[in-house]
Amino acid sequence: MLRGNLMRVRKAVIPAAGLGTRFLPATKAQPKEMLPLIDRPIIQYIVEEVVTSGIEDILIITGRGKRAIEDHFDCCLELESYLREKGKEEWLRVVRQIAQMANIHYVRQCEPKGLGHAVLCAQSFVGNEPFAVLLGDDVIAGDKPCLAQMIDLFMEVQASVVAVERVPREDVSKYGIISGEEIRPRVFAVHDLVEKPQPEEAPSRWGVTGRYIITPRIFGLLAETPPGAGGEIQLTDALRRLAKEEQVFAYAFSGKRYDAGDKLGYLKATVELALEREDLGAAFLEYLRNLLAERS
Ligand code: UTP
């Protein structure tokens, strides 16, 4: 096939309209995507992953009570002129850079009717091309961004790709689990997906995580998908039908994923990302060592 005929991934969608009930009461009046991991809100890590993967057009699905997300990626003239007057050039650069990172668009999901419904809200932004979906609370750390790894595979296979990770047997009931065939290390041809199976019914231990590259056929399937578990329109249900119609691949990415929308996942992300930081890592490690010595 001529290189010019290859489909490319040019747009990313970040669903961030969920209510964040697992993180109450912190999420009563602020979006969970704006909770800080050290000094950046969770969603900034996701936007940075998109940008470093080479995509500049991003749609964030927001909802009531999520205005702080828009304010964060907007310019803030009062703050900029204050920082300029005080000669805080370094902070001025940091603040400005956030607003210039990408072309960010917003659409509101009027009711949190599920991840599938949130993705359907992106249809007119995406149009008829493949697109990436990154969940607003799944942070993945690693040398090469997870999305960039998936785009490499997409360019080769020209078909939908879902990110998977190997999950402990007792946790399979928290994930969509794939059944499929490992066609080479890290790459699976997906035959089916099962939402939250019991361990004895799980077809594998490969759980779908918060990164997807999907062909636009998904929109037609989502529009026909009835509400499933919890009365919500499930993306997994539509992906399952997609896998029956088209080839779908799963990719076991390299990197470490944190579910920052869960209290324990959030704590792990905070500690491990802090330990990686040049400005904080050494002092924080010393603090942790002393703390553990005191407690053991
Ligand atoms: P989650 O289930 O993790 O988010 O959805 P939630 O519903 O906010 O969380 P809890 O379970 O109540 O704590 C995964 C992603 O899908 C988005 C969420 O914002 C999150 O990024 N989402 C979920 C939507 O955008 N709309 C929805 O209707 C549901």
Side-chain angles (χ1 to χ4, degrees):
M1 192 190 281
L2 286 176
R3 197 155 175 81
N5 290 341
L6 287 180
M7 294 188 288
R8 282 165 201 287
V9 185
R10 302 184 310 130
K11 295 176 182 173
V13 175
I14 305 179
L19 297 179
T21 53
R22 284 172 298 156
F23 229 119
L24 282 168
T27 47
K28 187 180 169 206
Q30 73 172 325
K32 73 172 162 185
E33 296 79 9
M34 289 301 294
L35 296 174
L37 281 175
I38 310 160
D39 53 5
R40 282 180 279 164
I42 295 170
I43 196 163
Q44 190 177 329
Y45 288 82
I46 319 266
V47 169
E48 285 170 0
E49 180 182 333
V50 173
V51 172
T52 49
S53 301
I55 296 180
E56 284 176 5
D57 278 308
I58 300 174
L59 178 72
I60 301 181
I61 315 288
T62 67
R64 195 165 287 280
K66 301 273 183 172
R67 281 259 318 266
I69 297 177
E70 288 170 56
D71 289 341
H72 182 70
F73 291 106
D74 196 3
C75 28
C76 181
L77 296 182
E78 304 94 296
L79 180 61
E80 286 180 23
S81 59
Y82 175 86
L83 293 171
R84 196 175 304 107
E85 267 166 35
K86 300 281 173 190
K88 297 185 184 237
E89 295 299 325
E90 179 55 20
W91 286 118
L92 181 61
R93 196 185 58 73
V94 168
V95 164
R96 275 199 176 150
Q97 200 252 333
I98 297 170
Q100 291 163 357
M101 232 174 342
N103 305 319
I104 305 188
H105 311 255
Y106 300 89
V107 67
R108 278 168 77 130
Q109 184 189 17
C110 61
E111 250 185 282
K113 290 197 235 166
L115 177 58
H117 181 260
V119 170
L120 193 51
C121 294
Q123 183 167 16
S124 55
F125 166 79
V126 169
N128 194 28
E129 55 182 292
F131 62 106
V133 175
L134 298 93
L135 298 195
D137 51 6
D138 254 357
V139 174
I140 301 182
D143 293 338
K144 180 166 181 170
C146 175
L147 182 59
Q149 299 172 42
M150 294 170 71
I151 290 175
D152 287 348
L153 178 62
F154 175 83
M155 289 310 290
E156 183 192 327
V157 298
Q158 295 282 289
S160 299
V161 178
V162 299
V164 289
E165 67 178 355
R166 199 164 164 80
V167 297
R169 200 178 132 76
E170 62 276 18
D171 285 348
V172 290
S173 59
K174 297 182 190 155
Y175 291 82
I177 301 290
I178 61 155
S179 84
E181 183 193 344
E182 187 164 11
I183 54 175
R184 65 171 200 244
R186 297 188 177 277
V187 180
F188 300 80
V190 175
H191 299 153
D192 201 358
L193 293 119
V194 188
E195 184 65 4
K196 304 189 169 73
Q198 289 308 307
E200 53 284 4
E201 282 155 15
S204 75
R205 279 177 42 198
W206 293 103
V208 177
T209 61
R211 302 286 183 273
Y212 311 78
I213 293 174
I214 320 178
T215 60
R217 173 67 187 122
I218 198 77
F219 293 121
L221 296 174
L222 280 169
E224 290 168 6
T225 301
E232 296 187 338
I233 296 177
Q234 302 290 345
L235 181 60
T236 309
D237 290 341
L239 282 172
R240 198 171 178 191
R241 288 186 56 199
L242 188 69
K244 304 251 177 273
E245 281 190 16
E246 298 180 359
Q247 183 111 58
V248 172
F249 292 89
Y251 180 70
F253 58 95
S254 93
K256 184 147 186 199
R257 180 185 77 99
Y258 304 97
D259 179 2
D262 165 77
K263 288 171 197 171
L264 187 57
Y266 176 84
L267 286 172
K268 290 178 184 171
T270 302
V271 170
E272 292 187 34
L273 294 174
L275 289 172
E276 293 297 316
R277 286 269 297 244
E278 258 173 43
D279 55 342
L280 294 166
F284 189 48
L285 181 62
E286 193 189 338
Y287 162 77
L288 289 177
R289 281 207 177 110
N290 292 337
L291 184 69
L292 288 177
E294 268 171 36
R295 302 212 163 197
S296 52

